[in-house]
Amino acid sequence: MILVTGATGTVGSEVLRQLVQRGAEVRAMARNPERITTPEAEVVAGDFGDPESLAKAVTGVDTVFLLTAPTSPGADHDLALLTAARAQGVRRIVRLSAIGTGETDSAGRTVGRWHQVADDAVRASGLGWTILRPSSFASNTLSWLEPINAGEPVPNLLGDARYGVIDPRDVAAVAVEALTSDQHDGKTYTLTGPELLTADDQATQLGEVLGRKVYLFDVHPEVARDGMLAQGMDPGAVDAIVTGTLWAREGNNAILTDDVPNILGRPARTYAMWARTSATA
């Protein structure tokens, strides 16, 4: 039995779909289980803040896909699931982390502090483990929807930074391989797409798919910080976003790896491919 946490999100829902497609025995955990519409999967209500619900979720489970997305960055959810998993005899954990975790920028700010704590805990858990550290998701540009439809320019916090934009379906596909085979135990994979792109490159490619120009305007992350705080976002989350963005603006995220093609036996999907298949969105 494989437990998929975060089963209603961008990656988790795709992991669930691909596992079911393979005929795997799958249990999907969600705070709101009614949102899971995959009849082939067993569905369980689970809350990372409720140890009893976690114990039930991992009972009889061999492998866990661990994806947490707390409102305020912190490793508590990951640690709670790990505690329950070890108590119930889970054998393997595949955790979704993030690129750049534990690295620092020129000002000494550390990227992904909470991911680092959780990754270290997974490694020290005594279980089999695989850690996935994907680059920026192609689907992040869905956040451009409102200004594009309004004919307005899209705010760009990343300047001319380049990064290996990845289709989240490829992240899910790698996760499925790690969940269904022990040959990836003890590995940390940095997952990227096949090309380094700037936000302007993405806007150009998206515009070609949509048949209209997509305009950007530069917003410095520190300026964006004030706007996000004014909107009521959690200060810890805002700080994590700004830190990661500043790290990327310094060129630290200009990374390409062969992990996706090496694991999947095919090239990673391009941003343009994602844009074409997501045009209706």
Side-chain angles (χ1 to χ4, degrees):
M1 173 72 79
I2 299 172
L3 175 68
V4 177
T5 66
T8 60
T10 300
V11 174
S13 62
E14 184 65 18
V15 169
L16 182 62
R17 186 191 70 80
Q18 292 186 30
L19 284 171
V20 165
Q21 192 173 49
R22 283 196 178 198
E25 188 177 4
V26 188
R27 179 181 297 163
M29 185 185 99
R31 183 174 297 169
N32 300 303
E34 68 278 1
R35 291 177 56 193
I36 298 174
T37 57
T38 307
E40 299 90 343
E42 179 185 336
V43 179
V44 62
D47 188 320
F48 286 107
D50 180 358
E52 185 176 342
S53 74
L54 294 182
K56 291 179 180 178
V58 297
T59 298
V61 166
D62 176 79
T63 304
V64 173
F65 178 63
L66 179 54
L67 188 166
T68 64
T71 302
S72 181
D76 289 351
H77 288 178
D78 299 88
L79 300 180
L81 194 284
L82 276 174
T83 297
R86 292 177 66 184
Q88 295 296 328
V90 170
R91 192 170 64 88
R92 181 189 299 129
I93 299 283
V94 176
R95 181 177 190 273
L96 187 68
S97 183
I99 198 168
T101 291
E103 296 188 15
T104 57
D105 65 10
S106 61
R109 290 173 290 241
T110 302
V111 177
R113 287 182 182 273
W114 70 276
H115 276 307
Q116 186 69 63
V117 172
D119 287 354
D120 288 346
V122 167
R123 292 190 181 102
S125 66
L127 308 178
W129 58 266
T130 307
I131 292 172
L132 310 180
R133 292 182 167 178
S135 189
S136 178
F137 290 169
S139 56
N140 289 352
T141 51
L142 288 173
S143 66
W144 296 1
L145 178 64
E146 187 174 339
I148 288 175
N149 283 344
E152 299 173 352
V154 175
N156 171 27
L157 277 64
L158 287 159
D160 59 1
R162 299 189 304 157
Y163 40 102
V165 181
I166 186 166
D167 189 320
R169 293 173 298 181
D170 282 348
V171 178
V174 171
V176 168
E177 293 299 326
L179 289 164
T180 56
S181 170
D182 59 8
Q183 73 181 54
H184 304 287
D185 283 6
K187 303 290 182 61
T188 298
Y189 293 119
T190 298
L191 307 180
T192 74
E195 55 190 345
L196 293 175
L197 300 174
T198 64
D200 190 61
D201 293 332
Q202 289 178 272
T204 298
Q205 294 183 21
L206 185 58
E208 291 172 353
V209 170
L210 298 178
R212 51 178 157 158
K213 181 75 173 176
V214 176
Y215 297 94
L216 303 180
F217 71 98
D218 192 69
V219 179
H220 193 275
E222 293 294 356
V223 174
R225 179 197 298 274
D226 295 337
M228 288 184 280
L229 291 173
Q231 293 171 12
M233 287 184 61
D234 176 83
V238 172
D239 185 64
I241 292 169
V242 171
T243 297
T245 305
L246 289 170
W247 172 81
R249 281 177 74 108
E250 291 182 351
N252 296 307
N253 201 16
I255 299 166
L256 292 180
T257 76
D258 292 325
D259 287 347
V260 170
N262 286 344
I263 294 168
L264 300 183
R266 62 163 174 80
R269 294 182 176 94
T270 65
Y271 176 75
M273 292 170 67
W274 174 86
R276 286 193 294 271
T277 58
S278 305
T280 55

CSV table of all heavy atoms in Angstrom, one decimal, residues 194-232:
chain,number,residue,atom,x,y,z
A,194,PRO,N,14.5,20.6,-19.4
A,194,PRO,CA,15.6,20.5,-20.3
A,194,PRO,C,16.3,21.7,-20.7
A,194,PRO,O,17.3,21.7,-21.4
A,194,PRO,CB,15.0,19.8,-21.6
A,194,PRO,CG,13.6,20.4,-21.6
A,194,PRO,CD,13.2,20.6,-20.2
A,195,GLU,N,15.8,22.9,-20.3
A,195,GLU,CA,16.4,24.2,-20.8
A,195,GLU,C,16.3,25.2,-19.7
A,195,GLU,O,15.3,25.2,-18.9
A,195,GLU,CB,15.7,24.7,-22.1
A,195,GLU,CG,14.2,24.8,-21.9
A,195,GLU,CD,13.5,25.0,-23.2
A,195,GLU,OE1,14.2,25.4,-24.2
A,195,GLU,OE2,12.3,24.9,-23.3
A,196,LEU,N,17.2,26.1,-19.7
A,196,LEU,CA,17.2,27.3,-18.8
A,196,LEU,C,16.4,28.4,-19.4
A,196,LEU,O,16.7,28.8,-20.5
A,196,LEU,CB,18.6,27.8,-18.5
A,196,LEU,CG,19.5,26.8,-17.7
A,196,LEU,CD1,20.9,27.4,-17.6
A,196,LEU,CD2,18.9,26.6,-16.3
A,197,LEU,N,15.4,28.9,-18.7
A,197,LEU,CA,14.5,29.9,-19.2
A,197,LEU,C,14.5,31.1,-18.2
A,197,LEU,O,14.5,30.9,-17.0
A,197,LEU,CB,13.1,29.4,-19.4
A,197,LEU,CG,12.9,28.2,-20.3
A,197,LEU,CD1,11.5,27.7,-20.3
A,197,LEU,CD2,13.3,28.6,-21.8
A,198,THR,N,14.3,32.3,-18.7
A,198,THR,CA,14.0,33.5,-17.9
A,198,THR,C,12.4,33.6,-17.9
A,198,THR,O,11.7,32.9,-18.7
A,198,THR,CB,14.6,34.7,-18.5
A,198,THR,OG1,14.0,35.0,-19.8
A,198,THR,CG2,16.1,34.6,-18.6
A,199,ALA,N,11.9,34.5,-17.0
A,199,ALA,CA,10.5,34.7,-17.1
A,199,ALA,C,10.1,35.3,-18.4
A,199,ALA,O,9.0,35.0,-18.9
A,199,ALA,CB,10.1,35.7,-15.9
A,200,ASP,N,11.0,36.1,-19.0
A,200,ASP,CA,10.6,36.7,-20.3
A,200,ASP,C,10.6,35.6,-21.4
A,200,ASP,O,9.7,35.6,-22.3
A,200,ASP,CB,11.7,37.7,-20.7
A,200,ASP,CG,11.3,38.5,-21.9
A,200,ASP,OD1,10.3,39.2,-21.9
A,200,ASP,OD2,12.0,38.4,-22.9
A,201,ASP,N,11.5,34.6,-21.3
A,201,ASP,CA,11.4,33.5,-22.2
A,201,ASP,C,10.0,32.7,-22.1
A,201,ASP,O,9.4,32.4,-23.1
A,201,ASP,CB,12.5,32.4,-21.9
A,201,ASP,CG,13.9,33.0,-22.2
A,201,ASP,OD1,14.0,33.8,-23.1
A,201,ASP,OD2,14.8,32.5,-21.5
A,202,GLN,N,9.6,32.5,-20.8
A,202,GLN,CA,8.3,31.9,-20.6
A,202,GLN,C,7.2,32.7,-21.2
A,202,GLN,O,6.2,32.2,-21.8
A,202,GLN,CB,8.1,31.6,-19.1
A,202,GLN,CG,9.0,30.5,-18.6
A,202,GLN,CD,8.8,30.3,-17.1
A,202,GLN,OE1,9.4,31.0,-16.3
A,202,GLN,NE2,7.9,29.4,-16.7
A,203,ALA,N,7.2,34.0,-21.0
A,203,ALA,CA,6.2,34.9,-21.5
A,203,ALA,C,6.1,34.9,-23.0
A,203,ALA,O,5.0,34.8,-23.6
A,203,ALA,CB,6.4,36.3,-21.0
A,204,THR,N,7.3,34.8,-23.6
A,204,THR,CA,7.3,34.7,-25.1
A,204,THR,C,6.7,33.4,-25.6
A,204,THR,O,5.9,33.4,-26.5
A,204,THR,CB,8.8,34.9,-25.6
A,204,THR,OG1,9.3,36.1,-25.2
A,204,THR,CG2,8.9,34.7,-27.1
A,205,GLN,N,7.1,32.3,-25.0
A,205,GLN,CA,6.6,31.0,-25.4
A,205,GLN,C,5.1,30.9,-25.1
A,205,GLN,O,4.3,30.4,-25.9
A,205,GLN,CB,7.4,29.9,-24.7
A,205,GLN,CG,8.8,29.8,-25.2
A,205,GLN,CD,9.6,28.7,-24.5
A,205,GLN,OE1,9.0,27.7,-24.1
A,205,GLN,NE2,10.9,28.8,-24.5
A,206,LEU,N,4.7,31.4,-24.0
A,206,LEU,CA,3.2,31.4,-23.6
A,206,LEU,C,2.5,32.3,-24.6
A,206,LEU,O,1.4,31.9,-25.1
A,206,LEU,CB,3.0,31.9,-22.2
A,206,LEU,CG,1.6,31.8,-21.7
A,206,LEU,CD1,1.1,30.3,-21.7
A,206,LEU,CD2,1.6,32.3,-20.2
A,207,GLY,N,3.0,33.4,-25.0
A,207,GLY,CA,2.3,34.3,-25.9
A,207,GLY,C,2.1,33.6,-27.3
A,207,GLY,O,1.1,33.8,-27.9
A,208,GLU,N,3.1,32.8,-27.7
A,208,GLU,CA,3.0,32.1,-29.0
A,208,GLU,C,1.9,31.1,-28.9
A,208,GLU,O,1.2,30.9,-29.9
A,208,GLU,CB,4.4,31.5,-29.3
A,208,GLU,CG,5.5,32.4,-29.6
A,208,GLU,CD,6.8,31.8,-29.8
A,208,GLU,OE1,6.9,30.6,-29.5
A,208,GLU,OE2,7.8,32.5,-30.1
A,209,VAL,N,1.7,30.5,-27.8
A,209,VAL,CA,0.6,29.5,-27.7
A,209,VAL,C,-0.7,30.2,-27.6
A,209,VAL,O,-1.7,29.7,-28.3
A,209,VAL,CB,0.9,28.6,-26.4
A,209,VAL,CG1,-0.4,27.8,-26.1
A,209,VAL,CG2,2.1,27.7,-26.5
A,210,LEU,N,-0.8,31.3,-26.9
A,210,LEU,CA,-2.1,32.0,-26.8
A,210,LEU,C,-2.4,32.9,-28.0
A,210,LEU,O,-3.6,33.3,-28.1
A,210,LEU,CB,-2.0,32.9,-25.5
A,210,LEU,CG,-1.8,32.1,-24.2
A,210,LEU,CD1,-1.7,33.1,-23.0
A,210,LEU,CD2,-2.9,31.1,-23.9
A,211,GLY,N,-1.4,33.2,-28.8
A,211,GLY,CA,-1.7,34.1,-29.9
A,211,GLY,C,-1.8,35.5,-29.5
A,211,GLY,O,-2.4,36.3,-30.2
A,212,ARG,N,-1.2,35.9,-28.4
A,212,ARG,CA,-1.1,37.3,-28.0
A,212,ARG,C,0.1,37.6,-27.1
A,212,ARG,O,0.6,36.7,-26.5
A,212,ARG,CB,-2.4,37.7,-27.3
A,212,ARG,CG,-2.8,36.8,-26.1
A,212,ARG,CD,-4.0,37.2,-25.4
A,212,ARG,NE,-4.7,36.1,-24.7
A,212,ARG,CZ,-5.5,36.3,-23.7
A,212,ARG,NH1,-5.8,37.5,-23.3
A,212,ARG,NH2,-6.1,35.3,-23.1
A,213,LYS,N,0.5,38.8,-27.1
A,213,LYS,CA,1.7,39.2,-26.4
A,213,LYS,C,1.5,39.1,-24.9
A,213,LYS,O,0.4,39.6,-24.4
A,213,LYS,CB,2.1,40.6,-26.8
A,213,LYS,CG,3.4,41.1,-26.1
A,213,LYS,CD,4.6,40.5,-26.7
A,213,LYS,CE,5.9,41.2,-26.1
A,213,LYS,NZ,7.1,40.5,-26.5
A,214,VAL,N,2.4,38.6,-24.2
A,214,VAL,CA,2.4,38.6,-22.7
A,214,VAL,C,3.5,39.5,-22.2
A,214,VAL,O,4.7,39.3,-22.5
A,214,VAL,CB,2.6,37.1,-22.1
A,214,VAL,CG1,2.6,37.2,-20.6
A,214,VAL,CG2,1.4,36.2,-22.6
A,215,TYR,N,3.1,40.5,-21.5
A,215,TYR,CA,4.1,41.5,-21.1
A,215,TYR,C,4.4,41.3,-19.6
A,215,TYR,O,3.6,40.9,-18.8
A,215,TYR,CB,3.5,43.0,-21.2
A,215,TYR,CG,3.2,43.3,-22.7
A,215,TYR,CD1,1.9,43.1,-23.2
A,215,TYR,CD2,4.2,43.9,-23.5
A,215,TYR,CE1,1.6,43.5,-24.5
A,215,TYR,CE2,3.9,44.3,-24.8
A,215,TYR,CZ,2.6,44.0,-25.3
A,215,TYR,OH,2.3,44.4,-26.6
A,216,LEU,N,5.7,41.7,-19.3
A,216,LEU,CA,6.1,41.6,-17.9
A,216,LEU,C,6.6,42.9,-17.4
A,216,LEU,O,7.0,43.8,-18.2
A,216,LEU,CB,7.3,40.6,-17.8
A,216,LEU,CG,7.1,39.2,-18.3
A,216,LEU,CD1,8.4,38.4,-18.1
A,216,LEU,CD2,6.0,38.5,-17.5
A,217,PHE,N,6.6,43.1,-16.1
A,217,PHE,CA,7.3,44.3,-15.5
A,217,PHE,C,8.0,43.9,-14.3
A,217,PHE,O,7.5,43.0,-13.5
A,217,PHE,CB,6.3,45.5,-15.3
A,217,PHE,CG,5.4,45.2,-14.1
A,217,PHE,CD1,5.6,45.8,-12.9
A,217,PHE,CD2,4.2,44.5,-14.3
A,217,PHE,CE1,4.7,45.6,-11.8
A,217,PHE,CE2,3.3,44.3,-13.2
A,217,PHE,CZ,3.6,44.9,-12.0
A,218,ASP,N,9.2,44.4,-14.1
A,218,ASP,CA,10.1,44.0,-13.0
A,218,ASP,C,9.6,44.5,-11.7
A,218,ASP,O,9.3,45.7,-11.6
A,218,ASP,CB,11.5,44.4,-13.3
A,218,ASP,CG,12.5,43.7,-12.3
A,218,ASP,OD1,12.6,42.5,-12.5
A,218,ASP,OD2,13.0,44.4,-11.5
A,219,VAL,N,9.5,43.6,-10.7
A,219,VAL,CA,9.2,44.0,-9.3
A,219,VAL,C,10.3,43.4,-8.4
A,219,VAL,O,10.5,42.2,-8.4
A,219,VAL,CB,7.8,43.5,-8.8
A,219,VAL,CG1,7.6,43.9,-7.4
A,219,VAL,CG2,6.8,44.1,-9.8
A,220,HIS,N,11.0,44.3,-7.7
A,220,HIS,CA,12.1,43.7,-6.8
A,220,HIS,C,11.4,43.0,-5.7
A,220,HIS,O,10.4,43.4,-5.1
A,220,HIS,CB,12.9,44.9,-6.2
A,220,HIS,CG,14.2,44.3,-5.6
A,220,HIS,ND1,14.2,43.9,-4.3
A,220,HIS,CD2,15.4,44.2,-6.1
A,220,HIS,CE1,15.5,43.5,-4.0
A,220,HIS,NE2,16.2,43.6,-5.1
A,221,PRO,N,12.0,41.8,-5.3
A,221,PRO,CA,11.4,41.0,-4.2
A,221,PRO,C,11.1,41.8,-2.9
A,221,PRO,O,10.1,41.5,-2.2
A,221,PRO,CB,12.4,39.9,-4.0
A,221,PRO,CG,13.1,39.8,-5.3
A,221,PRO,CD,13.2,41.2,-5.9
A,222,GLU,N,12.0,42.7,-2.6
A,222,GLU,CA,11.7,43.5,-1.3
A,222,GLU,C,10.5,44.4,-1.4
A,222,GLU,O,9.8,44.6,-0.5
A,222,GLU,CB,13.0,44.3,-0.9
A,222,GLU,CG,14.2,43.4,-0.5
A,222,GLU,CD,14.0,42.7,0.8
A,222,GLU,OE1,12.9,42.8,1.4
A,222,GLU,OE2,14.9,41.9,1.1
A,223,VAL,N,10.3,44.9,-2.6
A,223,VAL,CA,9.0,45.6,-2.9
A,223,VAL,C,7.8,44.7,-2.8
A,223,VAL,O,6.8,45.0,-2.2
A,223,VAL,CB,9.1,46.4,-4.2
A,223,VAL,CG1,7.8,47.1,-4.5
A,223,VAL,CG2,10.3,47.4,-4.2
A,224,ALA,N,8.0,43.5,-3.4
A,224,ALA,CA,6.9,42.6,-3.4
A,224,ALA,C,6.6,42.1,-2.0
A,224,ALA,O,5.4,41.8,-1.7
A,224,ALA,CB,7.3,41.3,-4.3
A,225,ARG,N,7.6,42.1,-1.1
A,225,ARG,CA,7.4,41.7,0.3
A,225,ARG,C,6.3,42.5,0.9
A,225,ARG,O,5.4,42.0,1.6
A,225,ARG,CB,8.7,41.8,1.1
A,225,ARG,CG,8.6,41.4,2.5
A,225,ARG,CD,9.7,41.9,3.4
A,225,ARG,NE,11.0,41.4,3.0
A,225,ARG,CZ,11.5,40.2,3.4
A,225,ARG,NH1,10.8,39.5,4.3
A,225,ARG,NH2,12.7,39.8,3.0
A,226,ASP,N,6.4,43.8,0.7
A,226,ASP,CA,5.5,44.8,1.3
A,226,ASP,C,4.1,44.5,0.8
A,226,ASP,O,3.1,44.5,1.6
A,226,ASP,CB,5.9,46.2,1.0
A,226,ASP,CG,7.2,46.6,1.7
A,226,ASP,OD1,7.6,46.0,2.7
A,226,ASP,OD2,7.8,47.6,1.2
A,227,GLY,N,4.0,44.2,-0.5
A,227,GLY,CA,2.6,43.9,-1.0
A,227,GLY,C,2.0,42.6,-0.5
A,227,GLY,O,0.8,42.6,-0.2
A,228,MET,N,2.9,41.6,-0.4
A,228,MET,CA,2.4,40.3,0.1
A,228,MET,C,1.9,40.4,1.6
A,228,MET,O,0.9,39.9,2.0
A,228,MET,CB,3.4,39.2,0.0
A,228,MET,CG,3.6,38.8,-1.5
A,228,MET,SD,4.8,37.4,-1.7
A,228,MET,CE,6.4,38.3,-1.6
A,229,LEU,N,2.7,41.2,2.4
A,229,LEU,CA,2.3,41.4,3.8
A,229,LEU,C,1.0,42.2,3.9
A,229,LEU,O,0.2,41.9,4.8
A,229,LEU,CB,3.5,42.1,4.5
A,229,LEU,CG,4.7,41.2,4.8
A,229,LEU,CD1,5.8,42.1,5.4
A,229,LEU,CD2,4.5,40.0,5.7
A,230,ALA,N,0.9,43.1,3.0
A,230,ALA,CA,-0.3,44.0,3.0
A,230,ALA,C,-1.5,43.1,2.7
A,230,ALA,O,-2.7,43.5,3.1
A,230,ALA,CB,-0.2,45.1,2.1
A,231,GLN,N,-1.3,42.1,1.9
A,231,GLN,CA,-2.5,41.2,1.5
A,231,GLN,C,-2.8,40.2,2.6
A,231,GLN,O,-3.7,39.4,2.5
A,231,GLN,CB,-2.1,40.4,0.3
A,231,GLN,CG,-2.0,41.3,-1.0
A,231,GLN,CD,-1.5,40.6,-2.2
A,231,GLN,OE1,-1.4,39.4,-2.2
A,231,GLN,NE2,-1.1,41.3,-3.2
A,232,GLY,N,-2.0,40.2,3.7
A,232,GLY,CA,-2.3,39.3,4.8
A,232,GLY,C,-1.6,38.0,4.8
A,232,GLY,O,-1.9,37.1,5.6
